[in-house]
């Protein structure tokens, strides 16, 4: 439910942004926590606090489960240092609602297609033929996929939410067939021809170094670009339970397996990653 509001961003005592817009609660499991995360929609596209994107949609992350309030900021910085094509831009901020201080938040990019964010070719409802239908797609490996409007479950059982675009039936069919073929190459042929190994390596190191318990459960973003049959990994998102902040892993340095082996899996995605890593080409 969106609520009309006036939004003012103040930096160094000066007004950076002043606009009307809407605000709503965001998140899956986090929406039930005492300190809510929000999405704000400005009436006009604008830059906030010198962040790269000029956009209407912005996130206010509560970090309720992270009492240090910095784990997402740390993970996004590591993502950038690893060379990920896009890492979310964020600023730590204090949130005041109707004169009441609501705590420290992160004002942040929304993970979406757009300039300064996830830069992919535009797909509209008329893109139902090659090459237009081949990309670009923004997807989330997502344990909550069944609750979303645009989603599919792969032939091997990976749950995928399609974040962009709002797919037509032809686009959804194309994307699922492509993903099923990618899986078949990994499982049956032990080949990684459809995997962008550079972004996979970056993303794998990020999730393992940060010890993200939810790494194969949700907020695992991947993309497919136009005229490119490879699966690209990233951007990073949702690291509030990482870096020794979950009792299912703590202490992380006592574990004798890769971190993605712990916690929940979005369908068979854990098996997907294990099989991918067992491919001889991937090891080389």
């Amino acid at each position: 439910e969106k609520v009309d509001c006036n939004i003012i961003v103040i930096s160094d005592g000066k007004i950076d942004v002043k606009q009307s817009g809407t605000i709503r609660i965001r998140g899956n499991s986090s929406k039930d926590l005492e300190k809510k995360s929000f999405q704000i929609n400005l009436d006009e596209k604008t830059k906030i606090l010198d962040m790269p994107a000029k956009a209407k949609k912005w996130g206010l992350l509560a970090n309720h489960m992270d009492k240090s309030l910095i784990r997402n900021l740390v993970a996004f910085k590591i993502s950038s240092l690893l060379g990920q094509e896009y890492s979310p831009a964020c600023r730590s901020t204090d949130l005041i609602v109707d004169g009441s201080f609501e705590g420290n938040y992160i004002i942040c990019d929304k993970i979406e297609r757009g300039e300064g964010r996830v830069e992919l070719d535009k797909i509209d409802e008329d893109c139902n033929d090659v090459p237009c239908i081949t990309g670009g797609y923004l997807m989330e490996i997502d344990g909550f996929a069944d609750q979303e409007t645009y989603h599919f479950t792969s032939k091997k059982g990976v749950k995928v939410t399609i974040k962009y675009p709002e797919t037509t039936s032809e686009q959804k069919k194309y994307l699922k067939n492509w993903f099923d073929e990618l899986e078949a190459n990994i499982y049956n042929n032990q080949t990684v021809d459809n995997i962008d190994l550079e972004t996979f390596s970056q993303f794998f190191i990020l999730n393992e170094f940060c010890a993200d318990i939810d790494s194969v459960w949700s907020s695992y973003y991947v993309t497919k670009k136009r005229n490119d049959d490879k699966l690209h990994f990233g951007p990073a998102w949702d690291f509030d339970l990482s870096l020794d902040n979950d009792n299912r892993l703590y202490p992380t340095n006592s574990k004798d397996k890769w971190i993605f082996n712990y916690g929940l899996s979005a369908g068979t995605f854990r098996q997907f990653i294990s099989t991918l890593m067992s491919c001889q080409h991937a090891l080389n």
Side-chain angles (χ1 to χ4, degrees):
E1 181 181 355
K2 295 179 180 179
V3 177
D4 292 335
C5 63
N6 294 309
I7 299 158
I8 301 174
V9 181
I10 299 172
S11 176
D12 294 328
K14 298 179 181 180
I15 293 178
D16 183 72
V17 174
K18 185 176 183 180
Q19 272 201 41
S20 57
T22 61
I23 187 169
R24 67 171 177 84
I25 295 172
R26 68 165 306 280
N28 288 308
S29 56
S30 64
K31 70 180 182 296
D32 297 320
L33 300 175
E34 182 179 1
K35 185 182 179 186
K36 310 295 185 187
S37 291
F38 302 100
Q39 178 178 303
I40 56 175
N41 284 37
L42 302 171
D43 286 342
E44 298 179 9
K45 290 183 178 181
T46 190
K47 289 193 174 187
I48 293 181
L49 300 175
D50 295 323
M51 288 186 278
K54 186 176 182 180
K56 290 184 178 182
K57 296 179 181 180
W58 297 86
L60 283 169
L61 307 185
N63 293 313
H64 179 78
M65 302 297 290
D66 173 18
K67 305 312 177 189
S68 76
L69 304 174
I70 65 170
R71 282 179 168 85
N72 275 310
L73 291 169
V74 169
F76 298 157
K77 180 63 176 179
I78 294 172
S79 167
S80 178
L81 292 172
L82 286 168
Q84 283 266 280
E85 186 173 340
Y86 161 75
S87 299
C90 301
R91 299 288 186 271
S92 183
T93 186
D94 291 329
L95 178 64
I96 298 171
V97 179
D98 293 337
S100 174
F101 174 61
E102 299 297 328
N104 184 267
Y105 277 68
I106 292 175
I107 189 166
C108 193
D109 281 338
K110 176 179 171 59
I111 303 299
E112 64 177 359
R113 177 203 168 272
E115 186 176 351
R117 291 186 172 167
V118 185
E119 298 193 359
L120 295 166
D121 284 302
K122 184 178 180 181
I123 303 179
D124 57 35
E125 61 183 12
D126 296 325
C127 286
N128 293 309
D129 297 302
V130 175
C132 189
I133 198 173
T134 65
Y137 296 95
L138 173 63
M139 296 163 280
E140 178 188 359
I141 309 302
D142 183 14
F144 300 100
D146 295 344
Q147 302 174 25
E148 301 294 334
T149 304
Y150 303 99
H151 70 275
F152 65 86
T153 300
S154 72
K155 193 171 184 178
K156 291 288 187 179
V158 176
K159 294 185 176 183
V160 182
T161 295
I162 306 169
K163 307 298 286 188
Y164 176 84
E166 297 180 357
T167 51
T168 65
S169 58
E170 287 299 315
Q171 291 163 1
K172 180 179 176 180
K173 179 180 178 181
Y174 168 84
L175 194 59
K176 184 182 183 304
N177 287 342
W178 165 79
F179 200 96
D180 289 344
E181 182 179 344
L182 178 152
E183 279 185 329
N185 279 338
I186 293 172
Y187 281 90
N188 302 332
N189 303 324
Q190 283 283 292
T191 63
V192 292
D193 295 343
N194 298 108
I195 300 294
D196 183 82
L197 292 179
E198 182 174 3
T199 57
F200 171 71
S201 299
Q202 294 165 348
F203 211 53
F204 183 82
I205 291 169
L206 172 68
N207 282 285
E208 290 295 317
F209 180 83
C210 291
D212 183 16
I213 187 67
D214 290 330
S215 65
V216 293
W217 164 243
S218 67
S219 300
Y220 194 110
Y221 284 93
V222 292
T223 60
K224 185 195 180 299
K225 301 180 180 181
R226 183 166 294 171
N227 292 324
D228 184 346
D229 280 338
K230 292 186 177 181
L231 181 68
H232 294 254
F233 292 74
W237 191 249
D238 195 8
F239 281 77
D240 57 327
L241 293 180
S242 68
L243 294 161
D244 262 350
N245 193 34
D246 192 286
N247 59 16
R248 289 171 290 178
L249 280 179
Y250 184 86
T252 304
N253 62 5
S254 69
K255 299 297 180 284
D256 58 1
K257 296 189 292 186
W258 294 111
I259 296 303
F260 77 88
N261 288 291
Y262 303 89
L264 300 174
S265 173
T268 59
F269 191 56
R270 188 185 348 264
Q271 184 181 353
F272 177 98
I273 296 295
S274 295
T275 306
L276 169 58
M277 294 183 65
S278 72
C279 292
Q280 188 62 40
H281 288 81
L283 294 176
N284 290 336

